[in-house]
Amino acid sequence: MTKSALFTVPKNEPCPQCGAGLVIRSGKHGPFLGCSHYPECDYVRPLKSQADGHVVKVLEGQLCPLCQENLVLRQGRFGMFIACINYPTCEHTDVIDKPDETAISCPQCQKGQLVQRRSRFGKNFWSCDSYPTCQFVINSKPVAGECPACHYPLLIEKKTAQGLKQFCASKQCGKPVTAE
């Protein structure tokens, strides 16, 4: 059987059905409490009905840079994040999945940089970091360069049967670029 959770954290609370320990698990609808003896015991319970920034786990040994209190893992309405235990009084927060920056400038607005992001379905894509002002997005890995045919200032890298190939990122052109 496949594991139905992205991570597990001991809760130190007994399962009401079998007495084993409960663990915090993360599924497609967010975190929940489940029996550690799954699949023999199928007990599950929602962790919290509303996503109000409640504490999921205390991160031992990590201190807030503003007030020197412990940092905690919290569940909010936009997903998991790291914050001070005194949140919202202390406003320190950290994003868990920070976007990976590239050194490639956006070909559409030419002001922002392209950053790698992950869709809600787990696929990687690259978009301009000045969103929502610029809504440029591509699904293939960007490569610095210029198309020799149409002079578009961005190339993309795709896997083909012959290996990795570079193509023009312009949807109107899309021609393969040969390495010179």
Side-chain angles (χ1 to χ4, degrees), residues 139-141 156-167:
N139 291 322
S140 300
K141 184 178 178 182
I156 56 174
E157 193 173 76
K158 290 184 178 180
K159 287 183 184 178
T160 65
Q162 292 81 29
L164 286 175
K165 298 271 185 181
Q166 292 183 355
F167 295 88

Side-chain angles (χ1 to χ4, degrees), residues 102-115 127-130 134-137 152-154:
T102 63
I104 302 170
S105 62
C106 175
Q108 187 170 320
C109 70
Q110 290 166 14
K111 295 176 186 162
Q113 300 286 320
L114 295 182
V115 292
S127 66
C128 184
D129 64 357
S130 61
C134 176
Q135 296 186 356
F136 178 80
V137 64
Y152 193 74
L154 182 67

